[in-house]
Amino acid sequence: MAKDLVKALSDLKEQEVVKIVEERLKAKEDPLKILEDARKGMEVVGKRFASSEYFIPDLVYSGEILKSVTELVKPKLTKETETKKLGKVVLGTVAGDIHDIGKDIVVFMLDVNGFEVHDLGVDVPPQKFVEKIKETGAPIVGLSGFLTLAFDSMKQTVEAIKAAGLRDKVKVMIGGGQITDEVTRYTSADAYGKDAVAGVALAKKWAGVK
Amino acid sequence: MEKQWEEMSSDEKQEALFARWMSPKDPQGNDLKFQSPQAQKAYKERITRIKDAIQMKKLPDRVPVFVIPSFFPVYNAGFTPQEAMYDYDKCSMAFKKLVADFAPDAQIGAVAPGPARVYDILDYKLYSWPGHRVSPDQSYQANEGEYMKAYEYDALIDDPSNFFSSTYLPRVFGALEGFKMLPTLTSILEIYGVAFNFIPFGLPPVQATYKALFEAGAEALKWAGAIGACNMEINAAGFPGLWAGFTKAPFDVIGDTLRGTRGVMLDMYRQPDKLIKAMERLTPIMIKMGVGAAKMNGQPAVFIPLHKGADGFMSDEQFKKFYWPTLREVMMGLIAEGAVPNPAAEGKWTTRLEVMQDLPKGKTLWMIDQSDIAKTKKTVGAIGCLYGNVPSALLALGTPQEVKDYVKKCIDVAGKGGGYIVSNGAFFDHAKTENVKAMVEFAKEYGTYK
Ligand code: B12
């Protein structure tokens, strides 16, 4: 049974997922166990995305299915889930840029790989990154941007982090369609990830995960 | 006697549109007065060069070169996007400076920044612009959303025009609230239909909407006067404008502006048949939009920005099912009427190239961003003319020598046998002037066919 939910979710069978969850709740199963299976299913989705078996529509859809699972399970939850996270990441699309599809995928992949992600959204001014880093103490920062003007916004964001005295406390990765090694040097970021999979690899390296 | 349009073959129609492009008119319908005989000669040479590259029948004298930016001309002239969007003279100055500085074979006129005051009047919600939720020195921004709900496909399919006026437009323009109260105009039948159906036009919200429309219209006309004069001046200096107008892939109409990325992607799973039906319904409308612009402005190229079918956006199976069929149909519809579809393959489309080469030869013009250029040449480049591939990051951060090396590689790989035009690959805001210059000058120097 437990296996079925993992499989149904990772195969994106929305109706089946809902049915299984309803049945298991009716059978008075521990809701945390159901959520744990859902998490495993999402992990498989992430793996399939990494191996180019799944694409953006599949991620969007899996996220939507997960949402219905949590909605069903939430009322039965007595305590919050306490899953151990690998580390915190602050992430957002930089000032002047609203492209969020690439950023959302990075957030998704970091999340299913066990990171606690603080997503600041789009068009995020440098100061907001700084505040969030202070608030969360996150050691990893991700900047997304697709426009050429985002190169400057990224640079300014790294500078703002430096001015706040936080530069040696965080690792900064950047990414987005037009980002190259050259842009990484220009912005003084630590590295760039050509896709979400590379972003996860960087975060794992920096968090000291094997 | 000249053949009537209806009697012409698609080849003849394309020739006729090129011929009209070659002999531009002023607003009174007289032959455009060029700045000098040299400017006139350069104008014709430029179009001939581009035409040869597009038609792929004979080699042009050299590889043509374009500069196709986003807000770069504005920054290059020392203005902010806010100034360019509110002050039409400044906008004109910026785009005139672009051709004076770089002398490309074609340009895209001064229309891109657009009239911000019109958006102010209409309370446009789909975009934010400098001075209005965006800082003065940044480009405008799209606010993606679900402006059409998942359950509204039937309404769209049933009557797209009515869906736009009564539902979509009031959602994206605050000032068009009154449109929600309008009757269906096809109900105005016989004498019975008149009185009842005109009542809404007397209601205060509807009248307020029309007042805003008149105001916006007057402002748009002012903009068109200023920008039209500017574009004509650029033409008269010898620089043809590339695009007659634009149209879109039906999947992007729904994915960009109606349902949004998330919405359209869920629809691929939850209501694929409706999505496909809606795209089929939009196809003739998108053809008409492009063909209408080509005929009205008397020039062939119609811009089609391609968004959500790029590599990674969906699987190849999904691309073949959802994205390509109606896009191809739009392109074929344009080609039949003599227009030259100019899809811009934004980002990477390397995995789509084999599918997309299924088009007649010498009829299309492709802007190539980061797709693998060698593979593009072998596939889509075998049937259509390519331009672009010079990366934005290189233009913004590289050196002139690096730009030249890159352009050399492009010409060596894609220029062989014609059918390639040197150009930036993406709509850039920031670049080093010397890098843009290096791109254009090196193309002219190295691109000559012997
Ligand atoms: C979709 C799109 C839009 C949508 C945005 C919708 C949205 N909600 O995001 C709309 C239509 C609204 C739009 C608008 C505009 N756009 Co646009 N857009 C695109 C398009 C087609 C796709 C971008 C995208 O979402 N890709 C999907 C992701 C998943 O692809 P990806 O890059 O492979 O993503 C991976 C990596 O980048 C990486 N990654 C991303 N972020 C991060 C962060 C970190 C930390 C890491 C490690 C990795 C990482 O991981 C991702 C997942 O694997 C691109 C062209 C293209 N195909 O790239 C143009 C493009 C980005 N847009 C462009 C422009 C110019 C604009 C406009 C200014 C156009 C205009 N003049 O109207 C506007 C305004 C935007 C603004 N102010 O921000 C240009 C930028 C040009 C340049 N840099 O030189 C592009 C490149 C098009 C082009 N070829 O000219 N756009």
Side-chain angles (χ1 to χ4, degrees):
Chain A
M1 179 84 122
K3 221 169 158 203
D4 282 349
L5 179 56
V6 179
K7 187 173 178 337
L9 179 51
S10 55
D11 290 347
L12 309 178
K13 299 271 193 290
E14 185 173 18
Q15 273 141 18
E16 222 171 284
V17 169
V18 172
K19 220 174 103 211
I20 296 174
V21 172
E22 279 169 350
E23 275 168 15
R24 286 174 63 171
L25 284 173
K26 224 191 265 159
K28 299 265 187 290
E29 210 186 307
D30 182 357
L32 287 181
K33 269 198 186 138
I34 302 177
L35 283 185
E36 177 55 20
D37 281 346
R39 198 194 54 74
K40 279 188 194 144
M42 295 303 277
E43 223 177 273
V44 178
V45 171
K47 286 206 179 99
R48 290 189 183 160
F49 177 77
S51 63
S52 297
E53 200 180 320
Y54 277 177
F55 295 89
I56 305 176
D58 314 287
L59 297 194
V60 171
Y61 191 41
S62 70
E64 203 64 15
I65 300 175
L66 181 67
K67 218 194 274 164
S68 11
V69 174
T70 27
E71 266 159 29
L72 284 171
V73 172
K74 224 177 207 152
K76 314 267 170 183
L77 271 182
T78 43
K79 55 178 192 297
E80 278 295 312
T81 27
E82 276 288 341
T83 41
K84 194 141 164 29
K85 294 281 181 183
L86 294 179
K88 292 178 182 172
V89 183
V90 168
L91 211 132
T93 300
V94 294
D97 203 331
I98 52 89
H99 291 88
D100 62 4
I101 304 168
K103 176 210 58 144
D104 287 350
I105 292 172
V106 179
V107 171
F108 180 100
M109 289 296 281
L110 285 170
D111 184 62
V112 298
N113 279 282
F115 285 89
E116 178 182 326
V117 190
H118 297 266
D119 181 358
L120 297 178
V122 299
D123 192 9
V124 181
Q127 214 42 46
K128 235 171 121 182
F129 279 103
V130 172
E131 281 159 21
K132 201 71 189 178
I133 297 167
K134 280 189 187 152
E135 181 196 317
T136 59
I140 300 169
V141 180
L143 309 179
S144 183
F146 285 74
L147 302 173
T148 52
L149 59 75
F151 304 167
D152 284 321
S153 301
M154 288 175 171
K155 189 175 184 198
Q156 284 154 15
T157 307
V158 177
E159 277 162 9
I161 293 172
K162 198 171 163 196
L166 297 165
R167 188 62 186 94
D168 51 0
K169 297 195 176 62
V170 297
K171 289 278 191 189
V172 181
M173 58 178 173
I174 61 173
Q178 310 276 332
I179 303 298
T180 60
D181 283 325
E182 214 158 8
V183 181
T184 314
R185 277 194 296 278
Y186 178 72
T187 57
S188 309
D190 294 298
Y192 102 91
K194 74 168 176 26
D195 53 30
V197 178
V200 171
L202 281 170
K204 281 191 172 165
K205 191 175 94 186
W206 291 339
V209 185
K210 299 278 143 8
Chain B
M1 216 188 84
E2 264 182 50
K3 257 196 195 171
Q4 292 294 308
W5 186 262
E6 289 70 29
E7 297 163 3
M8 290 184 196
S9 69
S10 67
D11 281 348
E12 287 167 332
K13 286 177 179 170
Q14 197 201 63
E15 283 296 339
L17 284 173
F18 271 114
R20 278 179 66 193
W21 192 22
M22 199 72 99
S23 328
K25 306 281 181 207
D26 65 15
Q28 285 73 45
N30 304 314
D31 287 341
L32 178 71
K33 253 179 78 102
F34 282 90
Q35 267 174 21
S36 64
Q38 292 89 316
Q40 180 162 20
K41 187 163 162 274
Y43 183 93
K44 298 208 157 153
E45 280 170 1
R46 289 192 167 111
I47 292 186
T48 307
R49 193 172 291 137
I50 296 165
K51 181 178 169 206
D52 289 342
I54 292 175
Q55 293 188 329
M56 306 174 89
K57 286 183 198 145
K58 60 175 199 273
L59 274 183
D61 59 344
R62 69 161 162 78
V63 175
V65 56
F66 295 168
V67 178
I68 314 276
S70 183
F71 271 93
F72 171 73
V74 173
Y75 296 111
N76 178 55
F79 299 129
T80 63
Q82 184 176 35
E83 287 172 303
M85 290 183 73
Y86 280 93
D87 184 334
Y88 310 145
D89 290 336
K90 283 189 178 155
C91 182
S92 302
M93 276 157 71
F95 282 83
K96 283 189 245 175
K97 182 168 158 56
L98 183 82
V99 295
D101 284 358
F102 304 109
D105 285 313
Q107 40 81 38
I108 52 173
V111 295
R117 214 160 275 120
V118 173
Y119 316 142
D120 283 333
I121 296 167
L122 295 174
D123 183 15
Y124 193 24
K125 297 183 169 140
L126 185 60
Y127 278 80
S128 303
W129 52 94
H132 193 97
R133 301 186 289 254
V134 171
S135 81
D137 57 346
Q138 282 169 342
S139 121
Y140 49 73
Q141 301 181 14
N143 304 314
E144 240 199 55
E146 248 184 277
Y147 297 101
M148 169 184 152
K149 307 286 176 221
Y151 57 81
E152 286 174 331
Y153 272 99
D154 286 337
L156 175 72
I157 293 164
D158 186 44
D159 188 345
S161 206
N162 192 54
F163 178 76
F164 263 62
S165 61
S166 70
T167 308
Y168 173 69
L169 296 180
R171 281 184 192 155
V172 293
F173 294 104
L176 301 190
E177 272 289 313
F179 272 3
K180 285 186 190 160
M181 298 175 166
L182 286 190
T184 311
L185 295 182
T186 40
S187 312
I188 307 177
L189 282 175
E190 303 215 3
I191 199 164
Y192 316 114
V194 175
F196 287 112
N197 284 304
F198 276 84
I199 294 169
F201 292 94
L203 302 172
V206 176
Q207 295 200 337
T209 284
Y210 274 90
K211 206 171 144 269
L213 277 175
F214 289 160
E215 239 180 89
E219 185 62 32
L221 207 60
K222 208 157 103 194
W223 172 80
I227 299 300
C230 162
N231 289 349
M232 218 160 55
E233 206 179 303
I234 294 175
N235 293 343
F239 301 99
L242 182 60
W243 294 325
F246 88 109
T247 187
K248 289 194 66 165
F251 187 87
D252 288 331
V253 175
I254 295 175
D256 284 346
T257 29
L258 292 172
R259 296 277 297 125
T261 310
R262 194 181 142 275
V264 80
M265 291 186 164
L266 292 178
D267 297 338
M268 286 165 67
Y269 282 99
R270 288 181 175 158
Q271 37 182 354
D273 299 341
K274 290 227 162 126
L275 170 59
I276 289 174
K277 211 164 159 204
M279 292 194 288
E280 285 167 353
R281 188 79 169 91
L282 290 168
T283 299
I285 297 174
M286 289 303 114
I287 294 173
K288 241 193 236 168
M289 181 166 149
V291 169
K295 282 201 206 166
M296 185 171 84
N297 294 320
Q299 55 186 99
V302 175
F303 175 49
I304 315 177
L306 303 185
H307 289 155
K308 287 157 187 171
D311 285 359
F313 268 92
M314 48 178 88
S315 70
D316 284 340
E317 286 320 304
Q318 288 165 331
F319 181 78
K320 282 185 239 168
K321 181 171 174 190
F322 291 103
Y323 199 89
W324 177 241
T326 47
L327 169 59
R328 181 174 187 277
E329 218 182 305
V330 168
M331 298 222 272
M332 291 303 288
L334 293 176
I335 291 168
E337 285 299 292
V340 172
N342 176 188
E346 300 188 357
K348 272 195 211 69
W349 293 68
T350 307
T351 62
R352 318 297 191 200
L353 297 168
E354 265 135 37
V355 176
M356 295 198 302
Q357 64 181 324
D358 177 22
L359 289 162
K361 190 175 171 183
K363 305 285 192 188
T364 53
L365 174 64
W366 297 73
M367 184 172 186
I368 300 301
D369 183 0
Q370 302 176 17
S371 305
D372 179 86
I373 189 71
K375 192 170 173 212
T376 310
K377 182 68 181 173
K378 278 197 211 106
T379 48
V380 167
I383 53 98
C385 177
L386 314 176
Y387 69 89
N389 193 241
V390 180
S392 286
L394 184 61
L395 292 174
L397 304 174
T399 63
Q401 190 53 47
E402 286 167 338
V403 172
K404 284 183 193 172
D405 293 344
Y406 198 94
V407 172
K408 178 171 184 301
K409 192 199 86 184
C410 287
I411 293 179
D412 289 344
V413 172
K416 227 178 286 155
Y420 176 67
I421 295 167
V422 170
S423 169
N424 58 292
F427 305 101
F428 60 107
D429 298 307
H430 291 298
K432 288 186 198 149
T433 309
E434 63 267 28
N435 286 350
V436 181
K437 221 167 226 153
M439 176 180 84
V440 177
E441 277 163 14
F442 186 75
K444 290 181 180 174
E445 182 188 310
Y446 184 73
T448 310
Y449 288 107
K450 291 175 190 92

